Amino acid sequence: MEVITCSALLSVSLLAQSSALPSVGYGAMAMLLLFIMGSMWIGVIANRATESSGFMKGFFLGNRGLGAWALALTATIQSGGTFMGFPSLVYSHGWIVALWIGSYMVVPITGFGILGKRLAQLSRRTGAITVPDLFRTRFHSPALGVTCTIFILLYLSFMMFAQFKAGAIIIKLAWPGSGELALSESTSVMDMRYHIGLVIFALTVVGYTLIGGFLAAVWTDLFQSLMMFVGVMILLFASLSAAGGLEQATQTSLQNTGPGFVFGPGYIPDGSPHQFLPLSLAISFFVVWIWGGVGAPAGLVRLMASQNTNVIRRSVYLLSLYNMGIYLPLIVICICGRALIPSLETTDEIIPRLALMTTSGWPGGSLVAGLILAAPFGAVMATVSSYLVVLSSGVVRDIYQRFINPHAERNELRRAAWATMIVAGAVSVAVSWSPVKYLQAFIIFSTSGAAATFLVSTLMACYWRRATRVGVFFSMITGALTVMTLYLIGIFELLPQPSIGAVTGFRPYFLFGLDPLIWGILSSAVMGIGGSLLSTPPEEELVAKMFGRID
Amino acid sequence: MNSSPPVAQPGASETEKPDPTLTDPLVRSSMREALLVTAIWFIAGTWSISVCYLMGYNRSVESLKLVFGFPDWIFWGIVIPWMTCTVVSILFGLIFIRDGELGQDLENADDLGLGG
């Protein structure tokens, strides 16, 4: 979902239409302020919760104390995109998007059942606080640790830049009295309000993450996930009532569009031969959402932080119920949206527009709409906070502590972590002040690249005794290079390809119609297995420590 | 990917040293669960994609049938398997996943004296 977050965040642009609905801006701004104050408070509480422990494990891993709710609702879902880009796709292409997102039906068991228990155990056996820590110790290879660190810093930096821009735009548009109309990526949006929004966003998110570290990131994520659930439930009821039920909504939206809206491969508004979801991409997304999620570095860290196996078990069924209550209702909501608002030019606006329309006559409707509209802001803050923690842990643990000051005391480590977050925030503000054209392309690549780099290598680390540092190194490099190559071919249009997939400015090259991540995973697996079998077997003592019974 | 490693016997001595010939029970149960989850993912994907493709692609609009407001292919290809997977996930979490000791963390993870 991350790949669609940035442009989708513009959905909140409807907030700007305060001249038509003057109370909306105040409701939304009130909710934004609530999110900001709530997050700061969470930061302080998180700080108190980790004060008595060792700094590294407390600040970067929450003392491995994540409970079921926190783990379930924050480890696998990328909620930033859930409320924004995904609804836009449903509104644009119709019911076919249910198949596009269909693999989320098994995310709860794949997200926790494939790596959860074993990764939590392995991270304890290795004493790992970060993902590079885990690989370094599991394979007894500093070089592998450095490789991981470089990849994580690279990917997360790009992924974080986009979130800063999105956060700034939300604040700008929620400003009471703002007369701005809907915006798009191509519109010039970098005015004074944007820059003020950028600074406020940066100060807020860096501030509370700096205070509370990993736990602050997780708890704000949990907070916004729950808010989002409440928002979806309210909007489901409101939109179904307004549309006259789902059957009526489907029929009306069909009349408003065309047959593609209710059948595959999906509706294309301009009637071009472009196909949103041909069979090859339907198969791709059943792989991409699942295995991409399993290999995401920020998710791996949260699994490492889980308290015990009972927590992992409970997370499975909590997330099952949550996903069921979020994704199918969101699809229904957006189908109703197409029936109620037939031709929305900026489709990213569907959720806020629907919220405004359906709650306008309610007592306190402004605040309800504000809650729905401000949820993306909470999602963006939580995402940035999570990236800041992983980024900072990479610098402090894997660079500062390893190579610069191995005997650093608690206060030195704390200062290093703070300095990293402040620098990361400052760089993000600088980059987002006037974003470069190809930034979005790097962000999209980073999401797939991270999964292609870490999925197979983590599976090998967890489950294969014969895996070697050489094999894992080749697995990481090959996965990353494969995805990067296919993205570069697509972005620069070096090879002709069929017109398929979501209509965006940057499309990868779909080799044989399949998503690049699939090729990344396959090549990573081939090189990982081949490289391991062809290299010297790992030391028996090391394997015993990682796999043997040692209680 | 593990080639049938031996299993640690329950009740092993607490002072028992690591033995490369014995695999921790939690590793075994994790792998078993991971394989089952992968199978569930494969079955769910095969069902959803097949049903949606066969029932929902390239149809004439006159043939549209709605089930509880959903197009029939979405109902049978997404809604029903999603509900089934939710039930399976709940049962998986409640019954199938085996609890186990994750082991002790290293005493002082702030230091770099990591194992290995």
Side-chain angles (χ1 to χ4, degrees):
Chain A
M1 301 300 285
E2 205 67 38
V3 295
I4 48 180
T5 299
C6 182
S7 63
L9 281 165
L10 299 172
S11 61
V12 190
S13 56
L14 185 67
L15 295 171
Q17 293 184 308
S18 52
S19 56
L21 291 160
S23 61
V24 171
Y26 291 102
M29 186 50 82
M31 293 309 296
L32 286 195
L33 289 174
L34 183 71
F35 267 102
I36 289 172
M37 287 188 294
S39 301
M40 285 305 209
W41 178 71
I42 285 171
V44 172
I45 301 289
N47 177 270
R48 285 183 194 151
T50 54
E51 265 298 298
S52 58
S53 63
F55 175 76
M56 295 297 284
K57 205 166 70 172
F59 192 76
F60 290 127
L61 215 50
N63 289 322
R64 298 195 203 279
L66 282 197
W69 280 94
L71 188 65
L73 301 191
T74 70
T76 62
I77 45 178
Q78 301 289 343
S79 40
T82 307
F83 223 151
M84 298 164 285
F86 171 61
S88 166
L89 287 179
V90 181
Y91 182 88
S92 301
H93 303 291
W95 276 109
I96 190 65
V97 182
L99 178 57
W100 182 83
I101 198 70
S103 62
Y104 268 60
M105 68 177 77
V106 286
V107 157
I109 42 174
T110 55
F112 298 112
I114 291 173
L115 284 175
K117 271 169 48 177
R118 175 60 177 143
L119 196 64
Q121 182 199 42
L122 196 56
S123 69
R124 283 162 171 81
R125 287 197 174 190
T126 54
I129 290 171
T130 65
V131 172
D133 250 3
L134 187 120
F135 278 98
R136 176 192 304 269
T137 312
R138 163 69 180 86
F139 293 100
H140 207 183
S141 167
L144 199 54
V146 172
T147 307
C148 287
T149 304
I150 292 169
F151 273 125
I152 286 180
L153 293 182
L154 187 75
Y155 292 138
L156 288 191
S157 298
F158 282 123
M159 285 147 81
M160 201 168 66
F161 295 152
Q163 304 290 327
F164 271 76
K165 180 183 172 188
I169 290 175
I170 293 176
I171 292 182
K172 166 185 166 153
L173 297 172
W175 210 274
S178 166
E180 299 286 337
L181 294 176
L183 299 165
S184 70
E185 285 282 302
S186 58
T187 313
S188 173
V189 295
M190 313 310 160
D191 61 6
M192 194 179 70
R193 277 200 177 117
Y194 169 84
H195 291 134
I196 292 172
L198 186 60
V199 172
I200 292 174
F201 178 80
L203 288 175
T204 304
V205 75
V206 172
Y208 81 76
T209 312
L210 196 131
I211 297 168
F214 176 82
L215 278 187
V218 170
W219 288 349
T220 48
D221 207 348
L222 175 62
F223 176 57
Q224 67 82 18
S225 293
L226 294 174
M227 289 294 104
M228 191 176 285
F229 190 84
V230 173
V232 167
M233 288 299 113
I234 294 171
L235 198 53
L236 177 66
F237 170 76
S239 54
L240 275 174
S241 300
L246 183 57
E247 187 162 337
Q248 183 62 42
T250 301
Q251 295 287 8
T252 311
S253 57
L254 172 63
Q255 289 163 14
N256 291 339
T257 53
F261 200 80
V262 291
F263 292 123
Y267 177 64
I268 298 297
D270 62 8
S272 71
H274 185 93
Q275 293 195 337
F276 171 69
L277 199 73
L279 182 61
S280 62
L281 282 189
I283 295 168
S284 290
F285 282 109
F286 242 89
V287 176
V288 167
W289 294 139
I290 297 302
W291 298 100
V294 172
L300 295 178
V301 175
R302 296 198 177 181
L303 290 177
M304 286 162 59
S306 53
Q307 207 172 67
N308 52 44
T309 54
N310 186 38
V311 159
I312 294 171
R313 278 196 311 115
R314 285 162 55 207
S315 298
V316 172
Y317 51 82
L318 280 175
L319 184 61
S320 301
L321 295 171
Y322 184 87
N323 272 8
M324 181 93 178
I326 283 281
Y327 290 100
L328 286 178
L330 266 178
I331 295 168
V332 169
I333 287 168
C334 296
I335 297 296
C336 292
R338 191 68 178 201
L340 294 167
I341 310 170
S343 48
L344 196 56
E345 199 166 310
T346 310
T347 55
D348 290 328
E349 296 177 353
I350 183 58
I351 290 291
R353 272 195 188 270
L354 209 50
L356 298 179
M357 173 191 265
T358 54
T359 62
S360 61
W362 294 13
S366 170
L367 281 178
V368 174
L371 169 72
I372 294 164
L373 299 171
F377 184 73
V380 175
M381 284 207 306
T383 308
V384 169
S385 184
S386 142
Y387 290 166
L388 271 177
V389 170
V390 178
L391 205 64
S392 170
S393 69
V395 172
V396 175
R397 176 67 161 184
D398 305 312
I399 295 176
Y400 180 76
Q401 208 180 17
R402 294 274 174 198
F403 300 109
I404 299 173
N405 188 358
H407 305 295
E409 297 293 329
R410 180 186 181 96
N411 283 339
E412 292 170 281
L413 293 171
R414 183 191 292 275
R415 280 196 294 272
W418 286 4
T420 308
M421 288 184 184
I422 291 168
V423 170
V427 171
S428 298
V429 169
V431 172
S432 307
W433 201 262
S434 182
V436 297
K437 187 182 174 191
Y438 287 104
L439 184 62
Q440 179 67 12
F442 281 112
I443 295 155
I444 295 171
F445 155 70
S446 293
T447 309
S448 290
T453 306
F454 290 106
L455 172 66
V456 174
S457 51
T458 309
L459 285 171
M460 289 171 69
C462 286
Y463 292 120
W464 197 24
R465 285 171 168 251
R466 181 63 177 80
T468 67
R469 65 193 67 137
V470 174
V472 168
F473 177 79
F474 279 120
S475 164
M476 286 181 178
I477 297 286
T478 311
L481 284 178
T482 304
V483 171
M484 188 169 75
T485 304
L486 291 172
Y487 268 89
L488 288 175
I489 292 173
I491 289 165
F492 293 107
E493 298 176 354
L494 300 178
L495 290 172
Q497 67 167 327
S499 183
I500 57 175
V503 184
T504 63
F506 300 103
R507 285 197 315 138
Y509 181 65
F510 296 108
L511 183 62
F512 298 117
L514 296 173
D515 189 90
L517 183 55
I518 292 181
W519 299 112
I521 292 171
L522 284 175
S523 60
S524 173
V526 168
M527 291 303 285
I529 294 169
S532 291
L533 293 176
L534 292 174
S535 55
T536 312
E539 302 86 353
E540 283 193 357
E541 190 188 355
L542 178 66
V543 174
K545 280 183 181 175
M546 302 302 152
F547 286 84
R549 183 179 178 130
I550 58 173
D551 53 348
Chain B
M1 281 193 256
N2 199 340
S3 52
S4 302
V7 191
Q9 296 303 310
S13 163
E14 286 192 359
T15 56
E16 188 180 0
K17 285 189 174 179
D19 184 342
T21 65
L22 298 178
T23 297
D24 191 285
L26 190 132
V27 179
R28 300 276 298 181
S29 68
S30 299
M31 187 181 289
R32 192 168 51 242
E33 288 154 15
L35 289 173
L36 179 67
V37 164
T38 305
I40 293 171
W41 162 76
F42 184 80
I43 292 166
T46 305
W47 173 267
S48 271
I49 294 168
S50 304
V51 169
C52 288
Y53 187 72
L54 293 173
M55 289 179 68
Y57 276 60
N58 305 316
R59 270 170 63 176
S60 66
V61 73
E62 293 76 25
S63 67
L64 176 67
K65 288 179 189 161
L66 298 179
V67 183
F68 300 115
F70 297 94
D72 54 353
W73 59 283
I74 290 289
F75 183 79
W76 295 111
I78 300 292
V79 178
I80 290 295
W82 199 309
M83 291 166 75
T84 308
C85 282
T86 301
V87 173
V88 168
S89 300
I90 291 169
L91 293 175
F92 185 82
L94 284 173
I95 299 168
F96 193 79
I97 297 184
R98 187 172 293 181
D99 274 329
E101 271 300 313
L102 292 174
Q104 290 297 311
D105 209 346
L106 288 189
E107 277 297 309
N108 192 358
D110 274 15
D111 295 336
L112 290 172
L114 304 175

